[in-house]
Amino acid sequence: MDPLTYLVAFFCIGLCIIFDKLRARKVEGVPCSRSFEFFFGTTRHQARTVLKEKKMTWAQYYQNELEQHNFTAFGWGRLGGKRGIVVCQPNDTKSILKTQFANFTKGQNFREVFQDITGDGIFNTNGDKWKEQRITMAHMFNRRQLRDRMSTTFGNHAQDMVQILQDAASSSDPYNIQELFYCYTFDCINMIAFNRDVNSLKGVERDCAFQAAFDTLQERILSRFLTPWWKISRYFQLSSTERLISTSLSVVESYVNNVVEQYHHSNGVCKDDSSGLTLMDIYLDHSGGVVDVKSSRDMILNIIIAGRDTTGSALTSCVEYLVQHPEWQDKLAEEAKTCFGGNTQEALTFDDIEGKSPVAEAVFLEALRLNPSVPSNEKIAVKDVTLPSGVEVKKDAIVGWLPMATSRYKGYWGEDAEEFNPTRWMKGKAYDDYMYPTFNAGPRLCLGKNMAILEGKTALLTIFAHFRFTAKKGFKPTHIASVTWQNDHNGMQVHVNEI
């Protein structure tokens, strides 16, 4: 190779380095994360902090970055050339989720990463396919369903929790209440959606392999965002992460097949009473009774994520803050007396709770404000877009928003934004969905929002009518990087005291 060729080669490499350094300073005109490195972007720092050292979750990582950028926006980059921004301002969030909804979509990379879990379900689709599924699922979440089928299910299973906690109260050992809540929500959503009594609260499937596999999937699959070659690794099973994902998927698929099989053996539920219809009934009705195995599988997994993980996470967060603020446990107990009407052995109904449980609702919403069940999310711009803050987003750029940061910003929530203060929800002030995007907002506003609140209130009122909790001495919950906000296998360790 002659000297001129070497010179040209070094000149080109130098230009690439300079160009990348310049790009590293800003992405879409937004200052980049301080951890941005040449070639690697923020990948090495994210992988080390979140995945290896497990110092924080993805949401906490992004929140720290937003704090350094005055809660406006910051840019990031990943190995493989992907770059994007994370925004925090409510007006920007509103633009993404509502006013410019058509200009942002679930991107190809996002959909491919989550395909193994959500498939082509409602959380992972766009356009007509998403609209069709949303219309179908909307039939399940009407007021009549809440009053009849859902409320009865929540009340009965909440009483099952009481029996279990009575055993825990008889022991001086700490109790992992996160596990209890996930079993509660798992039992509830299986009955409501599939007319299936899994009895995990009663010990029949307490150590359900599905739940463990499902949790593993949600934790491990996020590593794909930092691994450009993950598809090759999955195909050839090169990494321990992809091998574990495959193993977990086989367990999940087996469970889903069992759900469909059992449903058809039972012939669903009461077909002549719309209040008794399950999601499977509604789905089959809209598909003309023809079972599409792939669509059934995707629908089942999407509804389990929505019905089990999000509310189970929220209830765990409630207890995390209630052990720090025992006065609110007393307030819940007082409210429970009114709702139960003196008979705490009977399951609460919709009429017992509706309009009579402001304390329980305030506690539930406040815990979700501080620990949103889905603390971060992202979309792709389908065209050049300018956000209200002035950020110019180019076509195909990844744009993330962070409910956890927005819900803790003192500029909106006051100086006590980082503090647990349910009173803020009892002053008659309605908070904008874009200040509090815990349940998403706009056309993708969570269909199960009212169901989740009712389920959470039923559980809190039933439990605190009987018990008080104190934290295990020296215990601090460890939050892990997962699709939904959750603690590690130690969960939430408490001492249970019956009253």
Side-chain angles (χ1 to χ4, degrees):
M1 188 179 295
D2 61 87
L4 181 60
T5 303
Y6 277 113
L7 185 61
V8 172
F10 279 118
F11 178 74
C12 291
I13 292 172
L15 283 179
C16 289
I17 292 173
I18 293 171
F19 179 68
D20 203 84
K21 287 287 186 182
L22 289 173
R23 290 186 69 192
R25 292 178 183 174
K26 287 192 175 183
V27 174
E28 308 297 339
V30 175
C32 271
S33 165
R34 297 176 186 178
S35 62
F36 198 103
E37 301 174 316
F38 167 64
F39 183 71
F40 292 102
T42 53
T43 297
R44 286 207 314 173
H45 189 256
Q46 289 177 334
R48 181 173 63 252
T49 305
V50 178
L51 300 180
K52 185 179 180 180
E53 299 175 1
K54 298 186 177 180
K55 291 181 177 178
M56 60 186 72
T57 67
W58 288 105
Q60 290 169 324
Y61 180 92
Y62 287 140
Q63 183 178 348
N64 286 350
E65 291 291 345
L66 283 167
E67 288 175 355
Q68 294 174 19
H69 292 88
N70 197 28
F71 283 91
T72 52
F74 77 92
W76 53 261
R78 292 177 186 151
L79 183 64
K82 288 188 175 64
R83 284 173 164 81
I85 61 172
V86 176
V87 299
C88 177
Q89 300 291 316
N91 285 339
D92 286 346
T93 304
K94 184 176 183 178
S95 183
I96 296 167
L97 300 182
K98 183 180 180 180
T99 54
Q100 299 196 70
F101 177 79
N103 295 332
F104 295 94
T105 185
K106 299 283 186 180
Q108 181 179 350
N109 183 61
F110 182 95
R111 296 189 68 242
E112 288 176 344
V113 165
F114 286 108
Q115 186 71 24
D116 287 334
I117 297 181
T118 54
D120 293 320
I122 193 169
F123 293 139
N124 208 29
T125 51
N126 302 297
D128 292 340
K129 183 174 286 188
W130 164 74
K131 289 180 183 177
E132 181 180 342
Q133 293 187 60
R134 188 170 176 88
I135 291 171
T136 299
M137 288 190 174
H139 291 285
M140 180 184 171
F141 299 103
N142 58 47
R143 187 177 178 84
R144 188 178 180 187
Q145 287 277 19
L146 281 173
R147 177 183 293 276
D148 299 330
R149 183 173 181 80
M150 292 181 186
S151 178
T152 300
T153 300
F154 298 153
N156 290 337
H157 286 307
Q159 288 294 340
D160 291 340
M161 285 198 292
V162 171
Q163 297 176 28
I164 295 169
L165 288 171
Q166 285 173 337
D167 292 337
S170 65
S171 170
S172 60
D173 294 332
Y175 182 76
N176 179 9
I177 201 162
Q178 174 177 268
E179 180 186 352
L180 180 74
F181 287 145
Y182 274 71
C183 286
Y184 166 67
T185 55
F186 186 58
D187 283 4
C188 288
I189 196 59
N190 269 276
M191 178 55 68
I192 291 168
F194 317 123
N195 197 36
R196 188 168 189 264
D197 191 0
V198 297
N199 282 322
S200 67
L201 276 171
K202 296 180 180 179
V204 177
E205 293 187 31
R206 188 58 186 273
D207 297 319
C208 179
F210 168 83
Q211 294 196 67
F214 203 51
D215 289 342
T216 298
L217 275 176
Q218 293 190 73
E219 180 181 355
R220 297 290 180 150
I221 211 158
L222 292 181
S223 65
R224 290 177 172 177
F225 282 111
L226 298 182
T227 314
W229 53 84
W230 68 266
K231 292 180 188 177
I232 297 174
S233 183
R234 179 182 62 177
Y235 184 83
F236 292 105
Q237 294 292 280
L238 298 177
S239 70
S240 59
T241 293
E242 289 299 332
R243 289 193 293 271
L244 187 55
I245 288 174
S246 295
T247 301
S248 300
L249 269 175
S250 65
V251 175
V252 168
E253 298 287 356
S254 176
Y255 180 84
V256 170
N257 292 337
N258 194 28
V259 170
V260 176
E261 183 179 343
Q262 286 193 14
Y263 175 84
H264 286 292
H265 278 308
S266 68
N267 293 316
V269 294
C270 185
K271 301 291 184 179
D272 59 353
D273 181 3
S274 62
S275 69
L277 292 178
T278 67
L279 183 59
M280 283 292 286
D281 293 321
I282 296 168
Y283 166 72
L284 287 174
D285 182 58
H286 280 253
S287 61
V290 179
V291 180
D292 180 331
V293 176
K294 173 67 166 57
S295 296
S296 296
R297 178 261 189 206
D298 295 346
M299 183 271 292
I300 289 169
L301 292 184
N302 277 254
I303 202 65
I304 288 177
I305 288 178
R308 168 188 177 259
D309 295 67
T310 54
T311 310
S313 166
L315 286 169
T316 304
S317 293
C318 284
V319 172
E320 176 183 342
Y321 290 108
L322 286 169
V323 296
Q324 301 173 45
H325 302 272
E327 69 277 12
W328 283 98
Q329 296 189 45
D330 295 334
K331 292 178 182 180
L332 281 168
E334 284 299 313
E335 186 167 272
K337 290 179 182 178
T338 301
C339 293
F340 274 103
N343 188 359
T344 59
Q345 305 305 313
E346 293 291 328
L348 286 172
T349 66
F350 181 87
D351 291 332
D352 292 332
I353 297 174
E354 184 68 5
K356 304 172 186 177
S357 51
V359 173
E361 184 162 334
V363 167
F364 189 74
L365 294 177
E366 181 70 351
L368 273 172
R369 182 184 70 84
L370 292 169
N371 296 353
S373 295
V374 182
S376 61
N377 216 324
E378 69 176 42
K379 287 190 175 185
I380 294 286
V382 299
K383 59 183 288 188
D384 291 354
V385 173
T386 300
L387 297 178
S389 64
V391 174
E392 296 183 357
V393 183
K394 300 299 182 184
K395 180 181 178 182
D396 297 327
I398 300 173
V399 183
W401 67 97
L402 205 65
M404 173 167 281
T406 304
S407 295
R408 290 170 177 250
Y409 181 41
K410 293 180 180 179
Y412 312 133
W413 295 91
E415 289 303 311
D416 66 344
E418 294 278 355
E419 299 174 15
F420 180 76
N421 179 18
T423 305
R424 74 177 83 245
W425 298 95
M426 302 172 69
K427 296 178 179 179
K429 179 179 179 180
Y431 290 101
D432 191 289
D433 286 341
Y434 308 97
M435 286 177 61
Y436 182 73
T438 296
F439 292 98
N440 216 318
R444 281 187 179 262
L445 178 69
C446 176
L447 286 169
K449 176 181 178 179
N450 292 330
M451 182 188 85
I453 294 173
L454 177 64
E455 185 176 16
K457 291 194 297 184
T458 303
L460 291 173
L461 291 168
T462 302
I463 287 173
F464 286 100
H466 297 269
F467 307 98
R468 296 291 188 279
F469 301 127
T470 55
K472 174 186 175 183
K473 186 176 180 180
F475 177 80
K476 184 178 180 181
T478 301
H479 306 301
I480 60 174
S482 182
V483 175
T484 54
W485 181 265
Q486 59 180 285
N487 302 339
D488 65 6
H489 66 280
N490 291 313
M492 183 65 212
Q493 300 283 333
V494 297
H495 291 286
V496 183
N497 305 293
E498 191 168 8
I499 56 173

